[in-house]
Amino acid sequence: MEKRILIAGFGGQGVLLMGQLLSKAGMHENMQVCWMPSYGPEMRGGEANCGVVLADEPIGSPLVTEPDVAILMNRPSLDKFEPSIAPGGTLLYNSSLIDAEPSRTDIKVYDVPCNDIAVKIGNARVANMVMLGAFNALTELLPAESLLEALRETLGSGKEHLIPVNQQALAAGAESVV
Amino acid sequence: MAKLLMKGNEAIAEAAIRAGCRCFFGYPITPQNQIPEYMSKRMPQVGGTFLQAESEVSAINMVYGASGAGARVMTSSSGPGVSLKQEGISYLAGAQLPCVIVNIMRGGPGLGSIQPSQGDYYQATRGGGHGDYRLPVLAPSSVGEAVELTRKAFDLADKYRTPVIVLGDGMIGQMMEPVELPDDGESAREPESKPWAARGWDGSSPRAIINSLYIDPSVLEQHNLALQRKFAEIEKAETSFASERVEDADLVIAAYGTMARIARSAIRMARAEGLKVGMIRPVTLWPFPSEPFAQAARTAKAFLTVEMSAGQMVDDVRLAVAGRKPVHFYGRTGGMVPTVRDVLSRIKEAV
């Protein structure tokens, strides 16, 4: 098993964090993991993306150039990365912010209105967790508990009070696609 | 011990601290900034010294001073900054001072780009500065190996009284992978006794003098011969490489660092198509592992060197293969990274 996942959006949407959570959750499952960010003269509001590889044997290339799964959080990401998805792959896109329809017919496409769902929950900032919940429900790559554990580790004790709303976001995202 | 998910740059910095490094001098440059950033936070916690110098030139000369006084010391930079350090590195080599220099390579020449590259291979493996010297160069291909090799770099530096280079590229600096950090405490690895270090004279022993100036050419030649004997010793004892599926390979790929990871993915695809491809991955770039290439030249039909450069390590592969088999080359420059597909199609051309 080797899954190559690309997560892209604009800086501030938490796309790098999403990738780190997937990586940490993969470690909980004793997978080989690798997280690779785009880096450059970047800023809040600019482009941000990261690749995550989850595998059960030592990982080759750390770069995700033909993702099995692409999680695209804004319109520029859709334009840029939809063509790169491996045939037969999966695209999840944030339909709250993306007003276009993906055009590929050789991949599975799921629209997740991440921001709308997050606002309904009461915290617009958990849109990324809504998407992760949807991703996880669709791919069944990682147990939901591992993802939550990864979140706990990352937030630490100082931000423990944020766990419930994030947990809610993960669940709402999962519900939105099943 | 539990594994941690760490960025390459941070893992190198923590590995240095756990190897007993207590002095860090540097100047910011992308894509290695997390090393000084991490050191600025951690060094005060372990009673060490972090100092952001006013330039790379002063940073490397601070390394000279700290090393001369017997400290385990490190600096880090990327291409343009490492070029600025070369005068100091030559002095360190001449004065036989141990230290670790990390170069997280970016696209060049000049200011170039901040994206990953392997264009500093020549500079690292041929000494880099003026005069006849070589430095051990260690090239990790995963974050976990970056931890191991950083630790090893300090040990080699002290063992042979030489600067040691850890050579990575922007990818290894920026990516995160699980690492297991050596758990021998933060102060367990004190630098071994260094009778040559200038720590203040109490009259009981000859004065320790840290110097690379020898006015009398016959004396300097003796010094050079001693250095050459040391380099020969390092070549004999410290050469390191990893090989994958070379035994039955028609085509042997030569790649180091993260480039070897990309090559590994391409080799898996080639093998799935029935092509017999293997890889020799130099872990020490100097001393270069010529022997496994010479051996493989007996059984393989051809070699393919893949680099993020216009072709630098390929020279060493050709010296090792010595004309017995063709050595092909594929590379990208400027911060462009060869894709798995690119490498696979070059494999098919070369097989």
Side-chain angles (χ1 to χ4, degrees), chain B residues 155-214:
Chain B
D155 291 345
L156 287 178
D158 280 343
K159 183 174 176 190
Y160 294 102
R161 287 186 59 188
T162 177
V164 176
I165 294 185
V166 175
L167 192 70
D169 63 73
M171 280 188 281
I172 203 124
Q174 295 298 319
M175 72 191 195
M176 290 178 108
E177 287 186 315
V179 292
E180 209 159 340
L181 291 160
D183 197 15
D184 52 5
E186 285 170 347
S187 56
R189 289 168 64 88
E190 285 297 315
E192 46 195 87
S193 137
K194 297 178 176 176
W196 49 265
R199 300 186 203 246
W201 189 57
D202 62 2
S204 66
S205 54
R207 287 179 190 275
I209 296 169
I210 305 299
N211 176 45
S212 71
L213 176 69
Y214 298 82

Side-chain angles (χ1 to χ4, degrees), chain B residues 69-345:
Chain B
R72 276 203 150 174
V73 53
M74 179 166 108
T75 186
S76 65
S77 193
S78 184
V82 178
S83 292
L84 281 166
K85 291 182 196 290
Q86 289 302 335
E87 181 201 36
I89 295 173
S90 175
Y91 280 45
L92 283 153
Q96 304 199 72
L97 291 177
C99 66
V100 174
I101 300 155
V102 180
N103 180 0
I104 301 297
M105 292 179 281
R106 55 189 248 169
L111 263 183
S113 81
I114 59 176
Q115 296 303 317
S117 162
Q118 295 181 320
D120 304 348
Y121 179 93
Y122 281 154
Q123 184 192 58
T125 59
R126 269 61 181 170
H130 57 283
D132 272 318
Y133 72 93
R134 299 281 185 121
L135 307 176
V137 181
L138 312 180
S141 81
S142 68
V143 178
E145 195 178 38
V147 167
E148 278 169 44
L149 292 184
T150 300
R151 189 182 184 80
K152 187 175 173 188
F154 280 97
D155 291 345
L156 287 178
D158 280 343
K159 183 174 176 190
Y160 294 102
R161 287 186 59 188
T162 177
V164 176
I165 294 185
V166 175
L167 192 70
D169 63 73
M171 280 188 281
I172 203 124
Q174 295 298 319
M175 72 191 195
M176 290 178 108
E177 287 186 315
V179 292
E180 209 159 340
L181 291 160
D183 197 15
D184 52 5
E186 285 170 347
S187 56
R189 289 168 64 88
E190 285 297 315
E192 46 195 87
S193 137
K194 297 178 176 176
W196 49 265
R199 300 186 203 246
W201 189 57
D202 62 2
S204 66
S205 54
R207 287 179 190 275
I209 296 169
I210 305 299
N211 176 45
S212 71
L213 176 69
Y214 298 82
I215 291 293
D216 181 340
S218 65
V219 177
L220 179 55
E221 185 176 49
Q222 286 310 312
H223 175 56
N224 264 285
L225 291 172
L227 288 178
Q228 292 301 321
R229 281 193 295 275
K230 176 168 84 176
F231 301 149
E233 206 183 313
I234 295 172
E235 281 187 303
K236 208 168 152 190
E238 308 296 347
T239 306
S240 166
F241 67 96
S243 59
E244 291 177 27
R245 313 182 81 165
V246 169
E247 301 71 29
D248 68 337
D250 292 327
L251 179 72
V252 173
I253 290 187
Y256 69 95
T258 39
M259 196 58 244
R261 301 274 298 269
I262 295 167
R264 180 194 286 161
S265 288
I267 290 168
R268 279 183 193 149
M269 289 168 83
R271 285 267 173 185
E273 294 183 32
L275 301 173
K276 288 183 178 168
V277 187
M279 174 162 65
I280 297 172
R281 174 173 72 86
V283 175
T284 52
L285 303 182
W286 190 85
F288 188 78
S290 300
E291 187 52 35
F293 285 100
Q295 271 185 25
R298 289 188 205 131
T299 51
K301 292 177 183 149
F303 294 80
L304 171 65
T305 306
V306 191
E307 299 175 55
M308 287 184 273
S309 79
Q312 299 190 13
M313 185 177 76
V314 65
D315 288 1
D316 286 330
V317 176
R318 287 190 174 127
L319 283 171
V321 172
R324 278 168 287 184
K325 295 289 161 62
V327 178
H328 306 287
F329 172 75
Y330 175 61
R332 299 286 303 268
T333 59
M336 297 300 291
V337 181
T339 65
V340 174
R341 252 174 226 291
D342 291 340
V343 178
L344 183 63
S345 71

